Every structure is written in C-alpha cells, then in structure tokens.
Amino acid sequence: MAEMTSDSPSHEAARDAPDDQVKDTVEELEGTDSDASDDEAALKRTNASEVRRQQTAKFKSWFVKRVEAISKEETRAAEIEPGHEDRATSYVLAGQDSNAIITDPREYQLELFERAKQQNTIAVLDTGSGKTMIAVLLLRYILDQELEMRGVGRAPKISFFVVDSVTLVFQQHHVLTCNLDQKVAFFVGDMNCDLWSKEIWTKQFEENMVIVCTADVLYQCFMHSFISMEQVNLLIFDEAHHAKKDHAYARIMREFYLTDIDPQKRPRIFGMTASPVDAKVDVVKAAKELETLLHCQIATTFDLALLRRTVHRPDEQVASYSPLRLPFETPLYRKLHVQFGQLEILAKFFREAKEASSQLGAWCADHIWSFLLSEEEERRLESRVERDFLSQKDKMEPTEKLDAEVAQLRQAIDLIKDHKFRDVTVTPDNLSSKVMLLVSYLKDSFEESADHKCIVFVSRRYTARLLGDLFSRLGLPNIMAGTLLGARKGEPGDPNISYKHQMLTLTRFRKGKLNCLFATSIAEEGLDIPDCNIVIRFDLYSTVIQYIQSRGRARRFNAKFVHMIETGNPSQLAILREVRKAEGIMRDFCQSLPTDRLLKGVDVDLDGVLFKDRSHRVYIERETGAKLTYGSSLSVLAYFVDRLPHDVETIPQPNYIITVQNKQYSCEVILPENAPIRSVTGRPASRKSVAKRSAAFEACLTLRKKKYLDGHLLPTYQKQLPAMRNAQLALYVKNRKAYEMRAKPTIWAESVGTVPQKLFLTILALEEPQTGPISCQPLALLTRTPLPQLPQFPLYMNSGSKTGVSFTKVSESLTVSESKLDEINCFTLRFFKDIYNKVYESDAERMPYWIAPVIHGKIPYTNCHAEDLIDWDAVKQVQDHESLPWTEETPNEFFENKFLVDPWDGGRRYFSVAVDPHLKPSDPVPSDACTRRFQDNIWHYSTSLFKKSRSKVTFKENQPVIVAHRVLHRRNWLDHITEKEKNMTSKCYICPEPLQISALSTSLAAMGLVFPAIMFRLDSYLIAMELFQSLEINAKPDLALEAVTKDSDNTEEHRGEQVHFQRGMGRNYERLEFLGDCFLKMATSIALYTQDPDNNEFEYHVNRMLLICNKNLLNTALKLKLYEYIRSKTFSRRIWYPEEPKLLQGKGVNKAREAQQHMLGDKSIADVCEAMIGAALLSEHQGRFDNAVKAVTVVVDNVHHTMTKWDDYYALYKMPTYQAAQATNSQLDLAKQVEQKHDYHFKYPRLLRSAFIHPSYPLSWEKIPCYQRLEFLGDSLLDMTCVNFLFYRYPDRDPQWLTEHKMAIVSNKFLGALCVKLGLHKHLRLNSSAIESRIRAYVQDMEDAEEEAKGAPDYWIHGRDPPKALPDVVEAYVGAVFVDSKYNYGEVERFFEKHIREYFEDMSIYDTFANKHPTTFLSNLLTLSFGCTKYRILAQEVPPLTPGSSPQVLAAVMIHSDVVAEGQSSSGRYAKVKASSNALSVLESLTPSEFRERYQCRCQPIGSDEDDDNMQNEGGGEGKEVAEPDSGEVVDQPVKIPDEIGVAI
C-alpha cells in the first residue's frame, strides 16, 4: 500500500473537514459503546438491584409493623400463656364451676360487703361460705367509684387481688373475669414478669383495672417502683392469715403501706380467711396482731344461724382404732438392713419404712421401698451419694469407698427390682389397725353407691401414695382412688407433681372418674375442690386453721367429717379438744367485736410491728422511688446473680459465709467468678438472718453504685451469647460501600525508573495454539525482576474449545545491551499501537515490562538460552517497517494472511484471507459481507471517514479487493463464547488503501488478541499473591486468587439469581470460604479449650463467636486494607494495559488514570477472610495445618488465638486438675469397655469419664465436668473431618451442596444412631428418668430399623429423632480422644474412617435428606418448579420485650413484593428455617400457573435462553454492540461465522 502522506487526498480531506464533521481520527480498539445495548444491559442490572432494594425497603416496613404486633402478642401471651403447665392449668380451670356468674349474694355476704365498703376488713368465714363473692361485690363498687374519679380528671388507680399460690391466681382470675365487666389480667412469676421494665408494667396498669397476682409479683412491683401504693385503690388479700413474719403479705404492708405514705392516700384493704390464725398461739393476741399488720378490722356475720343455713356444717364423728403396734422390722426390712444398713443414703428410708410398719402395716412398710428404690430414682440416689462423699472436705477418703457405696446402692435397687411383693389382704398381718379401720369405713360408705366424694387427709406424701396404691389394688366396690399432692420437687423417692397434674386430678374428681382422694395439706385451702360428703382426717391437723379448712371441704348436705383417733392416745384427744376450743375462742372474739368499731387504736401497736424494720437501713432511689430493704435485698441480689452468663449445668447463686466476732455475726457474700464484684461484707448483727441480709444489702448498694443495677434495681449486666449469635446477621443486612481496588500489582510500579541490563523471561504460550488456520505465536514477557511460577488457566476460543495458557519461567536471564533493549522496546510499542491502538512514549526507564516474540517449537523453554528463544527476525522486521509497503503491482499472494489496521479507527482490524480478482473498489459490496452504513461501493465500505469527508477523497481504481475477516474485539477470552457471539459474522471486502498492513505477523496478532486477557489474569494472580505475602501466609497463586475473587454482588447466595455477575473470573471464593469457615471454627474452638479447659461451655461459645463473627473479621480486614486486593470486576479492555510510560495517543490520552473503586458488602469482605484460611489450608499437604493456623491468627487478630503453627496448641494446653487425678476403678473399667468399641487407649480415664456425664448428672462435685466442654471441641473436630471428606471427594460441588450433605453426616440423627451402634449410650450417666426413657425407646427403634434395612447404610434416616444426649456423647468422645492423644488430629480422622465413612460412600442416597432442609427445599421449589428468581429470605433482630431476655430474630420469605411467610427464633439461622417451613406449607399445593398468577411472577422459566448481560460484540465497549455515529457503517447483521476463521471472530 502507498503510504498516505500529508498531501494524500484522503488525509487532506480529513484534515480540512469541519470539527463537527470529523470523528476522532485515533480510536482505541474498544470503539464506542452502543447506547441502545448499554441501556438494555444496564436496565437488566438495574432491575435486579432495584428489585432487591424494593424488597429490602418493603421488608423493613413490614418488620416495623410486625415488631409492634409481636410486642402486643407477647404481652397478651404472657397474660394468657405463661408456660405449658400454667396454660394447661388455666384451660382446666376455665371449665370449672367457679366461673359461674355471681347474681344472688346471701344476706351475710351483703352484710360484710357493706362493712368492707366503709373500712378495711378481714372477713372470717368458713371454707366454702363465699368469701370471694364479697370480694367481687367490693370490686364492683370500687371500680364504679374509680370510673367516676377518672371522669372528673383524677389520676387512674388499679385494684389488686393478691393470692398466696400460683394455682389460686388462675382460679381467682377466672372467677373475676366472669363477674366483672372491666379488664382483668393475671401475673405469676413463671411469666418472667419480674424481668419486665417499668414501661411494660405501666402499659399493663393502663390497660387493666384489676390484676390478680401472687404476693411476690406485687412486692416486686412496689420494690422496683413500677407502681406506688398511691396508685392502688384496693388490695384484696386471699388467705389473709399468711400475713405474718416474712411472708410477702407482711412485707408489702410493712415496707410500702404502713410507712412513707399519707394515710389518706392508702388504698382500701380487704382480707379473706377461714381463721385469722394458723399456728398454736394465743388466738386473741394473734388476731389483734393480724388486724394491726393488715390495718383492718376482723369481721364475721352476726347471724351464725343464717350462715349455717347457707353453708352446711358436717356431722363431726370420731372413729377410734385399736392401739398401733410399735414400729417393727419386716423380713424385707431385715434383709435390706443386713446388706445395706451402713449406707448413710438409706438411713432416712429405713426410718420411714419402720414408721410405716406401725402407722400403715407390714404391706405398706415393704411397698414403700418400691417408691424409694425404683429404677427411676437410681440416678438421683447415686448423685446424692457422690455429692455427700465429695462434700466431706475434712475427710480425704479414697475414691474406692465411693465406688463401693455406689455399687452397693445399685445392688439394693436390683434387690427391690427382683423382689416379689406379696399380694395385699385386709388382715392384721398386712395392715395396721388404723388402715383397716379406714378400709372398713370406706367400704361401708361406698358399698351401695359410687355417688360419693371423699377426701382422706394425710400428713406425709408417701402415705398418700401408699394408700392410693393400696385402695387401687384392693378393688373395693365403687371406690375410684387417686392422690393429690403439692406441686413441689421432693426428695429421692418423692415424685415431681406439676400444677397441670393437680388440675387434671381435680377435674377427674369433679367429673366422678375419681371419688376418693388421698391428699396432703394442698387440698386444705385455696383450691376449688367440689363439695364432699365424706372428709376423713387419717392424720390429725396440727393447727386450728387446718381443722377449719379441712372440715370446710365437707359441705354437702348430711356430710361427715371424721377424726381418726387412736384408742387410749391422750395426746390426740388433746389436739381435738384444743382446736375446738381455739375455734370457739375465735368465734366469740369475732362475735364480741362492736358493730361500730372504727380503726381507732390500731396505730397504737404499729410502732411495735414496725420496730424491727426501722432498725434496718433502707435505700430509696430518688428518681424512680425504687426501695431496697434488708428483706428485698436477698431477692434483688439472687436475681442479679441468676442473670450472669452460665451454662445449663450450673445454677449460679450467691454464697453467704457467716462468722462470729465479739459475740456478733458477720456475713460475707461471695458472688460467682464472672460477676463484676467478687465479695462484700455486711455489718455485724446479733442474728444470723440479719447479718445475711446486711451483706446482701451492701452488695446491692455496691452494684447500684457501679451501675450494674439500674434505677429500678434491675440488672444491667446482661448475658452476651444471644446477641453474639447474630453477629453475622448484623453485617449481612448492611448496605454495600465503595472501597479502593488495586488495578495493578506493585511489582510494575516498583520496577520502573532504571534502564535494565538484564531481563527475566516468562513465556506465555497456549496449550493448543492452532485453533484455526492462524496459529498463536508464543510471547515472552520480559521483566526487571523474575515473576513467580504461575499456574495454567483456560482461555475459551471461538470454536467453543478450551485451551490452557502456560507461564514458563526461563531460568537464565537475558543480558540486554542498549541497542538490543531498543529493539525490544520498539517491538513492544508497536505491538500496543497496531493491535490496541495505544501509542506510548518511548521511555525504557518507565516501561514496566516488555514483549517479544518467541520462536515456534522451542520447547521446553526452561533449559534454553534466553537469547535463543526470542524471534529476533520478527523483532527486526517491526523495527525496520512502520508498516508493510505495497503498490498496485504487488502480487495478490502478498495480501494473503496479513494483519491490517485502520489508523483512524481503532475498532477496525482485519485478518486477510486472499484477493478477490473479480472485484474492484467501485463495485457494490457483496451480499455475504457484514453490513455497514455506507455500502454503495467497496471503497466507501472500507474507509472510516465521515460522510462529508468521503466526497473529497479519491481512491486508486486499480488497487485489489481483499476478502478478510474483521476482528470482533469485544470477546472476553476468559469466558465461554456466548450464543450471540457465535452467530455474529465477520466477513468483509476491503481495499488496502485506507488501511495499513502491520509488520506484525498474523500469528503474533492472534496472540495479541488474547494477550490482554492473559495479562489481566496475571495481574490478578500477582495482586492476590501480594496480599498473602504481606501477611506472611503461604498460598498457591491459583488458591490465593480464588480466595479474593468475588464474581457478583451476592456471591454468597449460592443458588439465587446472581446480581451483576462478572463473567470469566474463574472460581470465586465460595468453596474456600466454606472450607475456611469450618477450619476457623475448629481452630478457635481448640484455642479456647486449650487456654482454659476449665471454662464453661457458655463462655466458650461467646468467646468463639467474638473471634469468628463477621464483625470481627471485617474489622481485621479493614485494618489490613484487604478490600484493595479483592477481585470483583471482570476483564475490562480499559484497565488491563500498563499505566506507564506516558500515553500519547489512544482512548484516554487526555485523562488521568483514576483510582479504581468497587462496591463491596461488609459480609463479602469477612467471607474473603475465611476464604484466605481455606487457601492457606489447601496450599499445604493434606493433614498439615501450620499455614492455616497462622492464617487464623492473622484474620481473628485476638489474644485468644496467637498460635502460628499446629504444635502451638498443645504446647499451650493447661491440663485441668480433674484430668490428671487418680482414676477410680469405675473410671478404669469405663476406659477398658470403650476401648473395645474403638481401639484407642486412654491415658487419662477421667477425661473419658467426662465425655459420658450428662449435664443433669451432678458429677461436677467429683471435680469432673459434664461433657459439654468436650462436646464443644468434638463438634468442631467432626465438622472439619466431614468437610474435608466432602471437599476433596467432590471438587466441583458448590458450597450449598456441600453444606446440605454435610448436614447428613454431622446431623444429630446420624450421630445418635452411631452412638447406639457403638454402644456408647450404655455408659451415659444422667439424672433424668424422662431422658432415660426416651433413650430406651430410641435404641429399640434403631435396632429394629437396622434389622429391617438389611445392610442399607441409610437405615437411620427413617427412625425417630434421637435424644440430644446421644449425638452429644459422640462429639464429646471425639473431643476426649483428641485431647488425650495430645491433639493428634489423625486420631479424629481415624475415628471418621473407621466408624463414619462407610455410611457415606454414596452421597447420592442422601440427596433427599439434604433437600428436606426447609430452606433448601424452598429454594428448589421456587427456582426449579416455579421458575422464580425474585425471592429472598430476609432477617432482622427483634428488640427484646423484656430487659435481660434473649433477643429474637424475625425472618420473612419474600416473593417479589409479597411477604409469604415468617419465622421467629433466637438466631437468624433458625428463624430462616422456620420461615422457610411456613412458606412451604403455603406454596407446596400450588401449580406453577397458580403460583405465577398469585404472585404476579414474570421471571423467565427455567431452561429458557436469555440475552447475557455481559454480551460482548465487535466495535468496542464491554459487552455491547456499537453503532458508529455518522460513520457510514451499520451494525453487523447476525450471520453464521465460518468455522475456519480460528481466533479471528
């Protein structure tokens, strides 16, 4: 081609054209982006981001509304459903007769009501005489007055109905709810209302006019100043006789009613009782003291005859039985005593059995042992033995003695288990005279009819059980026996009775399913028990009120109240006479009171009542009014201590130590180790109880002074773990931020500034260079310093094939003279100019690297001389020729296989094929050419000038027409070619005159087309490696890059729609993050256990969360500026090229290179930290962890993990004292048995014992902790082993698949089955009969399932869920093996290989198990079945309603803009699981069409073809087609590309 000089017509025309008609004459290779395609791609990206923003905004709006609703629901639920047992109680009570509406009060009730309206009154009436009726009438009166007062603007007040027991709260609440038309609420301690804030209580007081509660709840409200006495208009005390000593009734009156309040502002008081005294005291004196303390008058009806007509008094009878035998020994007793009489734990049992022989007879005396030594009691008894043994600190007994005692206890239990008890017969040999009389009396009473109701009162719980069992066995006609015991946890041999059990028993009694109850004092007062016609005092009462109340149960017409008295026993007759006399005195006292007596003189005795309290200090909070007294300080301090962090196996308590000094008591209170203060000493006192309270008072003052108690005396020192659980959540929901991003590695900038004398070669070559007719010639990258050895990576060619790019370091450096450097420099500059349209300043000092052609076939490159590798002829040709010249006479063959460039348009580059001799420049453009704007002839088709400039230019008519293929520049060679790119045509017909023929060969030009992608990846490798090198962590280059590669905005959402997906970036950090996360958990768990093996599991979890939470990782990453190294942008033709030397010509010539930025989410940065750990782990040989340990230390940046190699862990291990102590024979035997199941020999059997101690089993007294610490450690070790197995076995599976299938291996379901398979459950020591029962049932279930499966490894899937103790034991055992083996991880792997791997050789059988996870199942349903991609599961923490309570997380499933379902839990993970489960119940029944219609889903169905957001096309830009403005060219039409074109698209 003739060179175009300044006189050339075409050049002249271009030069003379007006500015607005001449396009840039120098256009870089990228060309100009198409506005249309830009908008389309941007719209897609914007749509995805906008949908997420809208969903987030809608979720936040919904969240605010739901939190408000949840707060109301929780408050309502607290009122209605305080707990499972209480809920059952309230439900049972809801259906009782007590709910009847009161409409017809009796005359005596109206009489007492009128008195209570005028003055404070204690109504003394028999049980069943309707005292609650009077309270209802008084409440109605007070409420009417209150409404009037509110109507004239008075401050609102509230009424309290105060009771002594939880059961009575429910009972009285239901009565009031049925009989009052105002809102009535109830509160008990189990509702955790003692945790509520003043704001919550205020809201309750505003919403309700009456509150029923226990006395303690009201006392707490007054003490914390949630309410003042002035805000109360009525106090009703049920069972008012309890108001004495330190009862809550008495404390309310002494501390808040009788002191510090204007008498005119005191509320009205109404008390109710069957007798004002409940002890053997002076009746009149006690009654007056009660009047004084409650500031009331005692009153009863003046017309006793009227009361008798309304409330039937029973016919009292005395039933005498023959004198009882003295206590004696039965044969069973003697047998037990001979063998086990020396066991101190059984001493009380022997006494009770002997006492029962006299009171109940031989049969009962024997049968009591079946209660006391049952299998269910075994654990409790063993626990007591060990506790008593270890509590003897003064005696250093050998542990063999403990083992012997436990063994003997087990023998005793086995003896009872195997003993054949004789059948019961009603004979003196079997039953005492007392029991025989009872049998005879009940038999006669029930002989003709079952329509009787009878209560037999006894004094001991075991007596009620024995008599209930006896009568059930006797099978007497019409008698249906049951027992009614108090709701308390008894001693060994004593059952645990719940409120629910009590109420169900009473319901059966009311409905006639039971008609004879054997009851303790629980049936005497309070409970709403049906009227009985037979009440028998099998054991006599001890006080007058017991007599009156038990007699009051016999209210049916012609009822009988029977006193059972031993013949000739004067003491029993004296009791009967005494209670009757006391009742008479009390009745006379009440009757003798004048009708018009006012409360004059009550205050005379007030100083005496208050004298004791006035001698004690009181602290009143000025701002709130909260009041701390000696009495309340104990509960305030106990509550504070209970709120301290602790694990489930311990109950933190203040420890009071009392000493005597100078005849006075001094008390020091010691708080748990994790309390903010350790100990406080109180003031000396003359009594122990006062000294103890003084210490508690001082401790509370200290806590308040240090602000660990707030103004309402509630703790501010809260538990940390629930908040830590959601540390990840706090980062996940935050907005993304802009951070600086490194575009180039520092090696390029650090190497410039000097003229080198030697260069280092790295050969860049394609594994398959011949991808078409044009072969890619290798290039040498010449640098001042040697590059590291980099891994091969793939390029994706136009044919769809993949070829690897190799980096080969040449061992010998290249010595360069000034002239040789000039040749290389010239070649490099021409390379950039011809291929990329970049003209740089020729400055060798500022060149970061050089490029040189490599001779074909010089393989291997490593052993060659550097000088011999370079194709100097190609270098020389480029230096000698700006371009290859031609004339009209040049042979056609010359134009074949050339690289042609348009000097005015960087977007036009061609590979020539041949000259078409049949065409000339003036001919029309053939139809098979890609279309352009100017197609009137071939010459106009070939030039890039503007329209007006073309008319001024002439062309040579005789120049050849060349068939060529235009280079479609926009290809991202790091990614697969898209369908759109495959279908684009490149065939052109061009004239050489407006072009230049490059001196670069087509093979070099072809390599030049992929060179930018190679350099982009090389720079990424170097940047990633610089990060690891700066932290002194070894990592392979490919793993280093993978660890910092983020290829979308939501990389962590493994199967969701990827937002702003960046093509061709290679593997992202997902898998490494998955692996690193697991190692991080294991490493920190080991570190925490290592440095403090005696710490509790709770603190382990808290501290680990502080180490591994994303917030901590993010903080470390920000300090390290890790965000600069993250690769979040795909290949760009705008930033790959070198930053130096100075750019003279090309796009961006007049622009300063701007700092690169990228948007990153906080969690993404934290995830990269974990991915770095994964990269460090994989860069070592499998089984070595030193590198990863160092990486953990770097990213957590915490004093709790300072290790730099694996051996550092055990070197820092502080062996706890329990581990090294002498093992007992029992512990040695355990080690021997377990070794037969897994061939590992324990050096420390006590460590193994710890792995089998359940938290319910109090072996902490033995200085051996429960398994929770080892389970914490073993859980992370097993996790790591399972993840390793899956990670290496399935290298191409995504993290979600790995996570889902890991769930199967480490699931409680499998580990529970494994525990049974290995027989480890047999060695578990626990103290819970309920858990033992579940374990037995589960073991049987697994054995049956395995037998039916006939060798199938997944038999465990189909059974029930195991008790959690079983998988815990497996994890604890693994932890114990690890510690005992001096942290030999190989032992953990050996356990996995020997016992676990065989179940999971074929993971496909667990696909269903994995997919059963609600979140996974929901994801698959939405994406695969419904084709929806616009869904999200969002979560946020709900502020706790109650101060100090665990925070909750609320999650929601959003489909498009709709919240479909929600879930709430204590952690984000489980909240999302619940939300997913709830969403599945909504969606599973829908068809795809119903789904799309309901949720207006227009997402592209699965499997359809969509245009790629990052589609890359010819003409420049990133993924967009180009229309050149006014250039006479149109966008190429999609025509199939011939296969033979090779790398030229």
Side-chain angles (χ1 to χ4, degrees), residues 1145-1348:
Q1145 182 177 310
K1147 192 167 186 178
V1149 64
N1150 297 319
K1151 296 180 181 178
R1153 182 67 68 91
E1154 297 178 356
Q1156 291 290 315
Q1157 286 193 329
H1158 54 171
M1159 299 295 294
L1160 296 174
D1162 291 349
K1163 186 175 184 301
S1164 297
I1165 300 174
D1167 286 347
V1168 168
C1169 290
E1170 294 174 328
M1172 290 171 59
I1173 298 172
L1177 179 63
L1178 294 182
S1179 296
E1180 288 186 289
H1181 293 299
Q1182 190 173 356
R1184 292 195 57 81
F1185 303 132
D1186 291 350
N1187 205 29
V1189 171
K1190 189 173 186 179
V1192 170
T1193 295
V1194 169
V1195 301
V1196 300
D1197 190 24
N1198 190 285
V1199 295
H1200 289 301
H1201 195 289
T1202 58
M1203 300 78 179
T1204 57
K1205 58 182 184 297
W1206 182 262
D1207 290 344
D1208 288 349
Y1209 288 127
Y1210 193 74
L1212 294 174
Y1213 178 52
K1214 302 173 183 177
M1215 185 178 297
T1217 53
Y1218 85 85
Q1219 179 180 337
Q1222 179 185 356
T1224 64
N1225 290 335
S1226 172
Q1227 293 155 5
L1228 291 170
D1229 181 66
L1230 171 68
K1232 183 178 179 181
Q1233 291 188 57
V1234 173
E1235 188 174 351
Q1236 295 174 359
K1237 297 162 184 176
H1238 176 67
D1239 56 343
Y1240 177 81
H1241 179 74
F1242 267 83
K1243 307 175 198 64
Y1244 300 101
R1246 289 171 64 85
L1247 179 67
L1248 175 63
R1249 176 66 165 269
S1250 179
F1252 291 96
I1253 295 179
H1254 187 268
S1256 68
Y1257 194 76
L1259 275 183
S1260 52
W1261 300 318
E1262 195 182 343
K1263 299 299 184 293
I1264 296 181
C1266 74
Y1267 61 53
Q1268 289 180 318
R1269 296 164 177 80
L1270 291 173
E1271 180 231 333
F1272 168 81
L1273 180 62
D1275 168 70
S1276 64
L1277 291 163
L1278 268 182
D1279 252 22
M1280 189 70 232
T1281 313
C1282 298
V1283 165
N1284 262 337
F1285 166 70
L1286 292 172
F1287 192 90
Y1288 285 103
R1289 183 154 185 161
Y1290 302 97
D1292 297 320
R1293 291 292 192 175
D1294 64 64
Q1296 184 160 333
W1297 186 95
L1298 295 173
T1299 300
E1300 291 165 358
H1301 288 74
K1302 182 198 81 170
M1303 286 164 48
I1305 308 179
V1306 299
S1307 66
N1308 283 346
K1309 201 153 191 169
F1310 169 70
L1311 293 180
L1314 181 65
C1315 182
V1316 172
K1317 181 68 174 177
L1318 297 178
L1320 299 180
H1321 65 284
K1322 299 176 182 178
H1323 309 292
L1324 180 61
R1325 308 193 80 182
L1326 71 164
N1327 187 28
S1328 170
S1329 58
I1331 298 178
E1332 285 183 330
S1333 176
R1334 288 185 59 208
I1335 290 175
R1336 285 195 296 270
Y1338 176 76
V1339 169
Q1340 185 63 53
D1341 192 30
M1342 281 298 98
E1343 289 174 350
D1344 293 345
E1346 185 176 14
E1347 183 178 351
E1348 292 173 7

Side-chain angles (χ1 to χ4, degrees), residues 43-311:
L43 180 62
K44 288 182 179 180
R45 290 194 296 269
T46 302
N47 283 345
S49 299
E50 185 60 29
V51 167
R52 292 171 71 84
R53 280 194 293 270
Q54 290 176 1
Q55 286 177 329
T56 301
K58 289 187 177 182
F59 170 76
K60 289 181 178 178
S61 175
W62 171 86
F63 178 82
V64 171
K65 295 177 182 177
R66 281 297 294 132
V67 168
E68 183 178 351
I70 286 171
S71 298
K72 293 179 180 178
E73 291 168 6
E74 285 187 6
T75 302
R76 195 179 305 114
E79 297 173 0
I80 300 173
E81 301 182 8
H84 177 75
E85 296 297 337
D86 295 339
R87 182 166 64 251
T89 304
S90 61
Y91 285 170
V92 172
L93 285 169
Q96 304 305 323
D97 298 336
S98 60
N99 295 333
I101 297 177
I102 298 173
T103 57
D104 187 20
R106 309 294 185 187
E107 186 175 336
Y108 69 87
Q109 292 171 324
L110 292 174
E111 176 188 329
L112 290 173
F113 161 58
E114 290 298 327
R115 179 185 291 269
K117 283 167 56 177
Q118 304 301 321
Q119 59 192 30
N120 292 354
T121 302
I122 301 173
V124 179
L125 294 173
D126 280 353
T127 299
S129 57
K131 295 186 288 295
T132 305
M133 159 76 86
I134 305 171
V136 169
L137 294 173
L138 183 60
L139 273 168
R140 289 174 180 171
Y141 170 76
I142 293 293
L143 292 179
D144 286 343
Q145 283 193 323
E146 172 64 17
L147 291 173
E148 294 298 324
M149 292 297 101
R150 294 186 183 186
V152 297
R154 297 283 185 89
K157 295 186 177 184
I158 192 168
S159 302
F160 281 91
F161 195 118
V162 192
V163 299
D164 184 52
S165 68
V166 173
T167 307
L168 287 177
V169 170
F170 304 121
Q171 181 173 295
Q172 302 293 26
H173 172 261
H174 284 293
V175 172
L176 298 187
T177 301
C178 291
N179 289 280
L180 299 177
D181 55 2
Q182 300 296 332
K183 290 189 67 175
V184 182
F186 73 88
F187 301 105
V188 296
D190 289 345
M191 295 164 66
N192 291 325
C193 50
D194 51 349
L195 294 172
W196 289 357
S197 64
K198 182 177 176 61
E199 290 73 24
I200 299 172
W201 273 114
T202 300
K203 190 173 183 181
Q204 293 298 321
F205 298 146
E206 291 173 350
E207 293 179 353
N208 300 284
M209 294 191 72
V210 182
I211 287 179
V212 184
C213 63
T214 57
D216 284 321
V217 168
L218 181 58
Y219 179 81
Q220 294 284 335
C221 286
F222 283 135
M223 181 191 69
H224 293 301
S225 192
F226 295 147
I227 193 171
S228 68
M229 194 63 76
E230 296 178 5
Q231 295 172 276
V232 181
N233 53 26
L234 175 63
L235 279 176
I236 298 176
F237 291 106
D238 194 16
E239 306 296 347
H241 55 269
H242 290 300
K244 61 182 181 179
K245 297 182 180 179
D246 252 354
H247 192 276
Y249 285 180
R251 284 185 284 132
I252 290 171
M253 295 301 297
R254 285 199 304 264
E255 297 177 19
F256 303 106
Y257 186 90
L258 298 175
T259 60
D260 302 328
I261 184 173
D262 184 347
Q264 299 301 318
K265 296 181 180 179
R266 292 170 177 168
R268 178 61 44 82
I269 292 180
F270 180 66
M272 302 185 296
T273 182
S275 171
V277 293
D278 66 344
K280 295 178 180 179
V281 295
D282 185 315
V283 173
V284 174
K285 180 180 178 182
K288 289 183 177 180
E289 288 178 350
L290 182 66
E291 282 187 318
T292 301
L293 184 57
L294 289 183
H295 203 252
C296 288
Q297 279 186 319
I298 290 177
T300 188
T301 180
F302 288 98
D303 190 349
L304 292 179
L306 177 63
L307 178 62
R308 294 291 175 265
R309 287 196 300 269
T310 305
V311 181

Side-chain angles (χ1 to χ4, degrees), residues 39 174 256 304 307 415 545 575 601 699 758 813 971 1064 1086 1129 1132 1346 1355 1423 1449 1477 1502 1531:
D39 290 345
H174 284 293
F256 303 106
L304 292 179
L307 178 62
L415 189 153
I545 197 166
I575 292 174
K758 65 177 181 179
S813 61
R971 273 283 281 122
I1086 296 173
K1129 293 187 178 180
S1132 170
E1346 185 176 14
Y1355 70 89
T1423 55
V1449 177
S1477 296
I1502 299 299
V1531 178

Side-chain angles (χ1 to χ4, degrees), residues 616-673:
H616 301 157
R617 290 170 297 155
V618 175
Y619 169 80
I620 300 177
E621 186 71 26
R622 291 182 180 178
E623 292 186 5
T624 66
K627 188 174 184 179
L628 180 71
T629 65
Y630 268 34
S632 64
S633 61
L634 292 171
S635 61
V636 172
L637 185 60
Y639 177 66
F640 174 84
V641 170
D642 181 66
R643 301 308 297 168
L644 293 173
H646 63 277
D647 53 32
V648 295
E649 69 173 293
T650 59
I651 301 176
Q653 294 176 339
N655 185 20
Y656 295 93
I657 300 176
I658 299 177
T659 57
V660 180
Q661 296 177 352
N662 299 323
K663 297 183 179 181
Q664 287 212 307
Y665 296 103
S666 177
C667 180
E668 178 186 11
V669 57
I670 300 175
L671 304 189
E673 292 182 2

